[in-house]
Amino acid sequence: MSASSIDWFRDAKFGLFMHFGLPSNPAGVWDGKVMGRNWYAEWIRYQHNWPAPGGISRADYDTLIPQLTIEKFDADFIIHEAARAGMKYLVVTTKHHDGFALWKTKIVPEYSIAVSPCRRDMIAELTAACRKYGLKVGFYYSHWLDWEHPGGGVPPWPERPNDPPLEQPSDAMYERYWSEKCLPQVGELISMFDPDLFWFDSWGSKTDTRKTQLTPDRLGRLIGLIRQRSPRVLINSRIGTEEGVDFLSMDDNHFPDKLIGRPWETSGTMNRSWGYHKLDFAWKSTETFLKNLINNVSRNGNYQLNIGPMGDGSLSAATIKRLRELGAWMDVNGMAIYGTRPVDAAEPTWGRLTQKGATIYAHVFDWPTDGKLELPKLPMSITSATVLETGEPLTVLGSVDGAIVNVPPHPIDDRVTVIELA
Ligand code: FHN
């Protein structure tokens, strides 16, 4: 990574995560049964019918390939929506755990979108749309688990409560997977698309002993290959190490309660599932997403909000509504997000603070009922306060230590009102 590569990531703050693949068609339901265990629809192959014995055989699972028609997939539309929502980068599943590639790969081409009826290259289309709308291009690649290759990792726990753990491939077989598929496909993604970021997926803590195949040697070869092919591409810590990578990825939907000095991000879902699940109706609110974003930004982090397009490639109405509501807020308040840094001050109980140069932004989550917004001790004296959305000037009483801003009786935005302090 060159010294400046991480700068765009630190300034961008808000990205779009996108989970799509073969499981987007069954969308959490197989043979009329809703998948169990959790709501991660992209896991249907192993979690179908859980906890009863079952799962889906590889042969049955592969009947999803002829269903991959994506007749309503419009990369331009999706990335335009992301840009309107204020998102500055995309991270898309090029290959999820099932091992199926969404680009026209020359490595294991028989398990890729090239053999589906659509004959399209989703990754090429999304990359072109990102370049058109000015978003950076990030690729999710499931390096650890791969359920296509005979040497790829399978879930490291018993999928059924009374079963033994699934049998993992031998180390020699895993090595074949690593050198025949994982490394060449990652290299190919770089040479074909020149991405800005790789988002690798393993989970749990650094010391999680289940990730046995991710040895220092293998991780070193993967990171080395990427660094050699692209000096600027960013790599996340879920590759399996925090050493030699560019930013930390929290666990799914995990929002740390304190500032972290290194660049970091949280990836989060709009409902429960990452891939589209047609019976997952637990949609979170736009207010939740905004507070997640602001919370992370105030603590030096980014937020990568996921969408799961439906099997035909289109976005659900619930997804589009949330993206547009986010965009409306970002249109008027984005300057309090992009390019900001944490403020050297105590975190207020009513919300969060961000700073850019000599301007501090107060993001008010809980509007004061007595009309007085009490500021903590700030690193500079405050003489002016303005509602960012409307330009309404507010009176500031006091200065550096515990200044008070007189605010109107009601917030201008029910979700989060931003006040610009200078
Ligand atoms: O197992 C995956 C899951 O399907 C999804 O891709 C998430 C996204 O962060 N990562 C894994 C679980 O942590």
Side-chain angles (χ1 to χ4, degrees), residues 55 149 173 179 237 240 276 286 288 299 323-324 347 372 406 409:
H149 195 284
M173 283 301 290
S179 52
S237 62
Y276 177 61
T286 301
T288 299
R299 294 168 178 172
L323 291 175
R324 291 187 180 172
E347 207 165 71
K372 297 195 181 314
N406 283 334

Side-chain angles (χ1 to χ4, degrees), residues 17 19 40 42-43 93 96-97 140 199 201-203 238 252 267 274:
F17 208 2
H19 275 67
Y40 284 15
E42 65 280 4
W43 274 78
T93 50
H96 203 263
H97 304 332
Y140 171 112
W199 203 99
D201 198 3
S202 64
W203 56 86
R238 278 226 223 157
D252 298 357
S267 294
W274 298 92

Side-chain angles (χ1 to χ4, degrees), residues 138-400:
F139 291 158
Y140 171 112
Y141 185 89
S142 176
H143 64 316
W144 176 33
L145 302 187
D146 187 303
W147 305 333
E148 177 277 327
H149 195 284
V154 291
W157 48 76
E159 279 300 299
R160 315 278 143 182
N162 297 318
D163 285 358
L166 292 166
E167 194 181 336
Q168 294 291 336
S170 67
D171 194 62
M173 283 301 290
Y174 195 83
E175 182 52 36
R176 268 192 61 189
Y177 155 69
W178 200 258
S179 52
E180 281 180 8
K181 185 171 182 183
C182 176
L183 295 176
Q185 282 198 331
V186 169
E188 182 186 51
L189 283 167
I190 295 172
S191 53
M192 282 179 76
F193 304 112
D194 192 20
D196 301 286
L197 181 155
F198 267 106
W199 203 99
F200 292 105
D201 198 3
S202 64
W203 56 86
S205 67
K206 306 187 255 196
T207 52
D208 191 331
T209 50
R210 293 175 302 184
K211 299 184 278 194
T212 51
Q213 292 106 342
L214 298 181
T215 59
D217 170 68
R218 289 200 179 105
L219 293 179
R221 282 152 62 205
L222 179 54
I223 294 172
L225 169 94
I226 296 168
R227 298 295 187 219
Q228 189 228 330
R229 299 278 179 93
S230 171
R232 67 186 177 85
V233 79
L234 303 180
I235 302 173
N236 73 329
S237 62
R238 278 226 223 157
I239 197 169
T241 176
E242 293 183 3
E243 313 299 320
V245 300
D246 304 302
F247 65 94
L248 307 179
S249 286
M250 301 298 117
D251 278 342
D252 298 357
N253 288 301
H254 177 73
F255 300 94
D257 58 8
K258 58 179 188 308
L259 189 143
I260 299 173
R262 284 182 72 174
W264 62 273
E265 59 90 23
T266 298
S267 294
T269 47
M270 277 202 180
N271 42 9
R272 284 172 288 200
S273 184
W274 298 92
Y276 177 61
H277 192 311
K278 59 182 147 196
L279 297 177
D280 182 0
F281 302 121
W283 291 89
K284 299 169 202 170
S285 68
T286 301
E287 179 175 339
T288 299
F289 303 143
L290 284 175
K291 288 180 175 171
N292 288 345
L293 172 66
I294 296 161
N295 190 56
N296 277 16
V297 170
S298 74
R299 294 168 178 172
N300 199 40
N302 285 19
Y303 186 35
Q304 191 169 291
L305 181 60
N306 182 73
I307 61 169
M310 296 188 279
D312 62 9
S314 65
L315 301 186
S316 67
T319 303
I320 295 174
K321 174 181 178 241
R322 281 160 180 74
L323 291 175
R324 291 187 180 172
E325 287 176 347
L326 285 162
W329 190 91
M330 294 295 271
D331 274 349
V332 292
N333 297 299
M335 70 183 75
I337 299 291
Y338 306 121
T340 62
R341 295 291 179 266
V343 181
D344 184 14
E347 207 165 71
T349 52
W350 44 255
R352 299 287 178 264
L353 300 168
T354 57
Q355 179 170 4
K356 191 157 41 186
T359 306
I360 289 179
Y361 298 97
H363 302 252
V364 188
F365 296 177
D366 299 313
W367 198 252
T369 49
D370 63 357
K372 297 195 181 314
L373 188 75
E374 286 185 37
L375 303 178
K377 181 173 167 50
L378 296 173
M380 60 194 218
S381 63
I382 300 300
T383 53
S384 82
T386 313
V387 178
L388 189 56
E389 179 177 334
T390 59
E392 180 182 353
L394 307 175
T395 316
V396 183
L397 307 172
S399 60
V400 183

